[in-house]
Amino acid sequence: GAGVSQSPSNKVTEKGKDVELRCDPISGHTALYWYRQSLGQGLEFLIYFQGNSAPDKSGLPSDRFSAERTGGSVSTLTIQRTQQEDSAVYLCASSLAGAGGSYNEQFFGPGTRLTVL
Amino acid sequence: DQQVKQNSPSLSVQEGRISILNCDYTNSMFDYFLWYKKYPAEGPTFLISISSIKDKNEDGRFTVFLNKSAKHLSLHIVPSQPGDSAVYFCAASGSGTYKYIFGTGTRLKVLA
């Protein structure tokens, strides 16, 4: 079966431009997560979706970052006016349910490597 | 404040020997822990988990140990194989929550 997919796999952009990153979760997974991994860092939580709503956006680093999810499926993470410090690998994950426990294994996509020049 | 810490950024082990990866946490409300493995240019993949009601969970060559009083968990891989070379992340979650807190990862290199 298909896993979590993300596009593009790589994105190089100029400082100040807007970028959109896409995530296609596993079909039927109600929970969707965005993480960021900067060089030498762990996975930094950005935002969590349960269905189409985002109960927790606390990890978004600034108001330049936004995300939406439509139809309980595809999600897009938008970064406006990109800065060099936004350069990182952006990872998306999905899970069957949003509560902690053994059924909440998160399945990750391959990530989008964003480079801001 | 790093709630989940992996203090060893890298580890090298000879093939066939045991690999021990360590993880410490500070939040006593965490009660579910996972290990993920990440190869370059791929997303992390789930490896093994443990609930706080247990102190050990085993799956083939992989065993996770949890010491709640010390707020410490470890992943043992035995015997280590070159294909185990990857970055390993530990993650922790509290009961009924959705958010996992990840450590910074340990890069394991298994030497043939």
Side-chain angles (χ1 to χ4, degrees):
Chain A
V4 178
S5 61
Q6 293 186 245
S7 60
S9 55
N10 278 285
K11 177 72 177 178
V12 180
T13 190
E14 293 179 349
K15 178 181 170 182
K17 301 280 190 184
D18 298 351
V19 295
E20 263 191 13
L21 312 179
R22 176 186 168 109
C23 172
D24 280 272
I26 293 173
S27 177
H29 280 194
T30 60
L32 186 146
Y33 309 78
W34 282 98
Y35 294 88
R36 177 170 75 172
Q37 187 182 16
S38 303
L39 193 63
Q41 302 297 312
L43 276 68
E44 175 190 2
F45 168 82
L46 298 179
I47 188 170
Y48 154 70
F49 285 93
Q50 183 62 255
N52 290 337
S53 62
D56 189 344
K57 308 178 184 178
S58 63
L60 295 178
S62 76
D63 58 8
R64 296 186 295 104
F65 288 71
S66 63
E68 65 174 14
R69 189 179 185 195
T70 55
S73 181
V74 171
S75 176
T76 53
L77 177 69
T78 301
I79 309 173
Q80 296 179 309
R81 305 180 303 280
T82 52
Q83 303 294 313
Q84 288 182 332
E85 61 263 27
D86 300 333
S87 297
V89 176
Y90 289 81
L91 288 157
C92 174
S94 70
S95 67
L96 270 173
S102 60
Y103 50 84
N104 194 38
E105 177 192 338
Q106 295 183 13
F107 294 82
F108 282 83
T112 294
R113 181 175 296 278
L114 175 66
T115 303
V116 181
L117 303 176
Chain B
D1 177 34
Q2 192 74 23
Q3 295 187 65
V4 178
K5 300 177 185 177
Q6 293 177 256
N7 291 319
S8 297
S10 63
L11 174 68
S12 290
V13 171
Q14 204 68 35
E15 181 180 8
R17 307 295 286 266
I18 185 171
S19 296
I20 300 177
L21 296 96
N22 294 303
C23 180
D24 297 290
Y25 61 96
T26 58
N27 190 337
S28 58
M29 298 301 291
F30 288 150
D31 63 358
Y32 192 67
F33 306 89
L34 305 92
W35 285 93
Y36 280 82
K37 180 166 81 171
K38 186 181 184 301
Y39 292 118
E42 295 182 11
T45 55
F46 171 75
L47 194 57
I48 192 169
S49 64
I50 189 166
S51 164
S52 61
I53 62 173
K54 293 185 174 182
D55 54 19
K56 176 183 174 181
N57 189 26
E58 200 169 348
D59 184 2
R61 297 185 297 113
F62 302 91
T63 302
V64 55
F65 295 92
L66 176 63
N67 182 333
K68 290 184 289 294
S69 60
K71 295 193 181 68
H72 176 84
L73 65 154
S74 61
L75 174 68
H76 293 209
I77 306 172
V78 57
S80 301
Q81 299 173 354
D84 297 329
S85 298
V87 177
Y88 290 79
F89 292 96
C90 67
S93 177
S95 178
T97 68
Y98 52 84
K99 188 187 296 187
Y100 285 109
I101 307 297
F102 283 81
T104 52
T106 297
R107 182 178 300 278
L108 173 66
K109 188 171 184 179
V110 180
L111 307 168

